[in-house]
Amino acid sequence: MRASGGAFAVAVGVVGLGLFLLLGARGIAGDAPYAGVGPRAFPILVGGALVLAGGALLLRVLRGRAFPEPPRAERPALAWILSGLILAVLLFQPLGFAPSAAIAFVLTARGFGARRWGRGLVLGLALGLAVYLVFSRALGVSLPGGPLDWR
């Protein structure tokens, strides 16, 4: 199989993202108060894993054993899922965590073939609200509440 430009671009992008995380981790203060694990550990771990995975994919692409292009039938599903993620990121701050998570849930479910928008919205809001309450109230992690921010 001939190496495709798309697979090459994905491999280079994954390596680049990993290097970006590794370089960015250098700017994080390295205090490791508990068991030698500080705030730099996770970005270094993820960045290193991305560099390794991207490098393996790049080798595969360069050897001509790249993965085939996805069939056209899967592209609409990918569009639904990506639109859900993009909208969630854009609406995270103005609407808050729970509504943006619900939007991402509904559009991702649609990408996987769900037809009941109302049920997906109710489930997404319930899950988003539960995660918001656990993180913001129980764990003390600051998430944008949007309309739920009654402090």
Side-chain angles (χ1 to χ4, degrees):
M1 172 180 283
R2 198 173 141 263
S4 72
F8 182 78
V10 168
V12 170
V14 171
V15 170
L17 181 61
L19 291 174
F20 177 76
L21 285 175
L22 289 173
L23 290 174
R26 290 178 28 177
I28 299 173
D31 298 340
Y34 179 73
V37 177
R40 263 198 286 194
F42 189 70
I44 288 173
L45 179 71
V46 172
L50 284 172
V51 168
L52 289 175
L57 179 59
L58 189 58
L59 273 174
R60 188 173 175 95
V61 169
L62 293 175
R63 290 182 178 164
R65 291 184 282 170
F67 301 101
E69 292 291 324
R72 254 205 197 298
E74 294 179 16
R75 290 187 180 168
L78 182 62
W80 281 107
I81 294 168
L82 284 176
S83 65
L85 291 172
I86 291 168
L87 277 173
V89 168
L90 293 175
L91 299 175
F92 185 68
Q93 202 61 29
L95 291 183
F97 179 81
S100 64
I103 290 168
F105 184 86
V106 167
L107 294 176
T108 301
R110 176 64 184 101
F112 282 106
R115 301 270 186 235
R116 296 182 178 171
W117 292 79
R119 182 169 73 174
L121 187 60
V122 169
L123 282 171
L125 277 172
L127 288 171
L129 183 60
V131 169
Y132 171 77
L133 290 174
V134 167
F135 274 82
S136 66
R137 304 292 187 240
L139 299 176
V141 176
S142 178
L143 292 174
L148 298 175
D149 210 0
W150 54 77
R151 289 180 233 160

